Amino acid sequence: VSVELPGIFKVQIKIDAKDNQVEIKTKDPKNKYHEVVDLPAEVDIDNVKSTFVNGLLEITFNKKSKTKPRGKSIRVD
C-alpha cells in the first residue's frame, strides 16, 4: 500500500491493521487524512513493515504461509 502524504511528519501518522483492512490516519489539524484500504485475505497482518520517506508512506505486507489442510480420521461405531 502506497500513500502520498505531503506536509506530514512521521510522528503524525497512525496505522492500524485488522480484519483484512488497513486504516491510515494523520493527526495534523491542517492536513487531515483518513483512509481504510481493503486487503486480500492472503496477507499476514502480523508481519508488516512501513516506511515514510519524502512524503511517501509505503506499507508492505507478507503473504500468509500456506498450510496443509488439517484433517482427522473418524472411526465409525
Side-chain angles (χ1 to χ4, degrees), residues 1 10 13 15 48-53 56-61:
V1 177
K10 182 168 68 170
I13 301 170
I15 305 169
V48 60
K49 287 189 341 184
S50 68
T51 58
F52 185 68
V53 178
L56 181 63
L57 173 66
E58 291 185 345
I59 307 168
T60 306
F61 295 90

Side-chain angles (χ1 to χ4, degrees), residues 14-18 21-25 35 39 59 61:
K14 182 169 177 10
I15 305 169
D16 292 315
K18 56 188 167 207
Q21 290 184 333
V22 63
E23 181 180 27
I24 304 160
K25 296 184 205 177
E35 175 126 15
L39 302 171
I59 307 168
F61 295 90

Side-chain angles (χ1 to χ4, degrees), residues 24-74:
I24 304 160
K25 296 184 205 177
T26 61
K27 301 178 197 172
D28 183 21
K30 294 178 186 174
N31 297 321
K32 290 185 179 182
Y33 182 84
H34 179 257
E35 175 126 15
V36 177
V37 179
D38 291 326
L39 302 171
E42 58 269 359
V43 298
D44 182 7
I45 63 171
D46 293 326
N47 294 314
V48 60
K49 287 189 341 184
S50 68
T51 58
F52 185 68
V53 178
N54 295 329
L56 181 63
L57 173 66
E58 291 185 345
I59 307 168
T60 306
F61 295 90
N62 292 328
K63 280 187 163 183
K64 288 181 182 176
S65 60
K66 294 192 177 202
T67 57
K68 292 183 180 180
R70 293 177 44 177
K72 179 181 175 182
S73 294
I74 301 171

